[in-house]
């Protein structure tokens, strides 16, 4: 083989290697763009939860799909959708079933979140068969005894998965998903594996701060819950 031919072969290899490098960079950029909040690729088992609080901004049939689009574009895989607030069921069973179908069509799990404000309020039994992936009890405003009663009732009568969102790191309850609302800077001391940590968008100072908090939660607990959809949209993250 002549020297000219050998140089041509080396040049071809260089072009090949450059092409591979560009392809690798493109794949890395795509992976980052597709990652959940905080830049961590989903392992498929960690819940990356977006909480929808109806008290901050209503989500209903007119904008539910927009919310789902926001969730998927930000890397969430689970929605905690508030359907019960202060003793009132906000939607009919037909509407709830359609919400579930829409979420599942986007590859998202959906838990119905029940927000309790006093001990006289009860779990609405009619939602047990609407196809949701689970039910989450949001009941930190209640005495611990009342919380135990509600959770025991749910666990005994509901066939799906259970979740609790709480501000109490010592809460003596063990649902399938225990979400600790670690929103204040000092709350990071309570983040550990065996629970899901929380990030509140309104309590972050910037997108960088938000990403760092979510990344910390994902590294040091069994998932993350972001509170809430309205705050995420308002912040423009």
């Amino acid at each position: 083989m002549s020297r000219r031919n050998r140089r041509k072969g080396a040049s071809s290899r260089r072009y090949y290697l450059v092409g591979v490098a560009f392809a690798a960079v493109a794949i890395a950029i795509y992976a980052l763009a597709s990652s959940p909040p905080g830049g961590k690729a989903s392992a498929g088992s960690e819940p990356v939860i977006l909480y929808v609080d109806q008290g901050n901004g209503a989500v209903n049939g007119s904008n539910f799909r927009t919310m789902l689009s926001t969730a998927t574009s930000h890397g969430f895989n689970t929605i905690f959708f508030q359907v019960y607030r202060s003793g009132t069921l906000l939607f009919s069973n037909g509407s709830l079933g359609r919400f579930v179908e829409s979420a599942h069509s986007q590859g998202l799990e959906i838990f119905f979140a029940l927000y309790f404000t006093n001990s006289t309020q009860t779990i609405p039994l009619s939602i047990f068969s609407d196809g949701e992936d689970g039910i989450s009890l949001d009941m930190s405003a209640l005495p611990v005894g009342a919380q135990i009663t509600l959770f025991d009732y749910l666990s005994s009568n509901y066939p799906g998965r259970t979740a609790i969102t709480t501000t109490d790191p010592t809460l003596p309850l063990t649902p399938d998903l225990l979400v600790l609302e670690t929103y204040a800077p000092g709350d990071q001391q309570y983040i550990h594996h065996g629970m899901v940590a929380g990030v509140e968008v309104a309590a972050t100072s910037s997108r960088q701060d938000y990403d760092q908090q979510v990344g910390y939660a994902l590294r040091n607990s069994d998932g993350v819950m972001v509170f809430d959809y309205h705050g995420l949209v308002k912040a423009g993250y």
Side-chain angles (χ1 to χ4, degrees), residues 32-202:
L32 286 174
S34 303
S35 295
K40 178 178 177 180
S42 174
S45 58
E46 288 184 329
V48 183
I49 304 162
L50 180 61
Y51 191 109
V52 178
D53 187 314
Q54 301 287 0
N56 287 346
V59 175
N60 48 42
S62 66
N63 58 356
F64 188 81
R65 287 187 176 275
T66 300
M67 181 274 293
L68 294 181
S69 178
T70 299
T72 56
S73 67
H74 283 69
F76 293 98
N77 56 33
T78 306
I79 304 296
F80 275 18
F81 185 59
Q82 197 176 87
V83 303
Y84 177 88
R85 186 175 178 84
S86 303
T88 301
L89 184 61
L90 304 177
F91 304 99
S92 69
N93 289 104
S95 294
L96 292 176
R98 288 189 289 273
F99 292 149
V100 170
E101 291 177 2
S102 294
H104 288 170
S105 72
Q106 299 300 311
L108 295 165
E109 292 195 336
I110 181 168
F111 281 58
F112 291 162
L114 313 181
Y115 174 56
F116 295 88
T117 52
N118 70 60
S119 301
T120 66
Q121 295 159 6
T122 59
I123 296 172
L125 306 184
S126 62
I127 67 172
F128 282 9
S129 58
D130 289 328
E132 71 278 4
D133 297 285
I135 290 177
S136 176
L137 302 178
D138 187 345
M139 52 185 180
S140 292
L142 306 185
V144 172
Q147 294 186 50
I148 292 172
T149 298
L150 282 172
F151 177 66
D152 285 348
Y153 183 85
L154 182 67
S155 301
S156 300
N157 294 279
Y158 178 61
R161 283 181 289 163
T162 60
I164 292 174
T165 60
T166 182
T167 58
D168 182 2
T170 66
L171 189 70
L173 297 174
T174 54
D176 296 312
L177 287 178
L178 178 63
V179 182
L180 186 58
E181 298 179 51
T182 49
Y183 299 154
D187 290 344
Q188 286 197 340
Q189 64 179 308
Y190 301 116
I191 294 177
H192 61 273
H193 290 287
M195 46 77 74
V196 174
V199 172
E200 183 180 19
V201 179

Side-chain angles (χ1 to χ4, degrees), residues 12-28:
S12 297
R13 286 193 295 275
R14 283 196 297 272
Y15 287 135
Y16 172 77
L17 292 174
V18 169
V20 170
F22 276 123
V25 170
I27 291 171

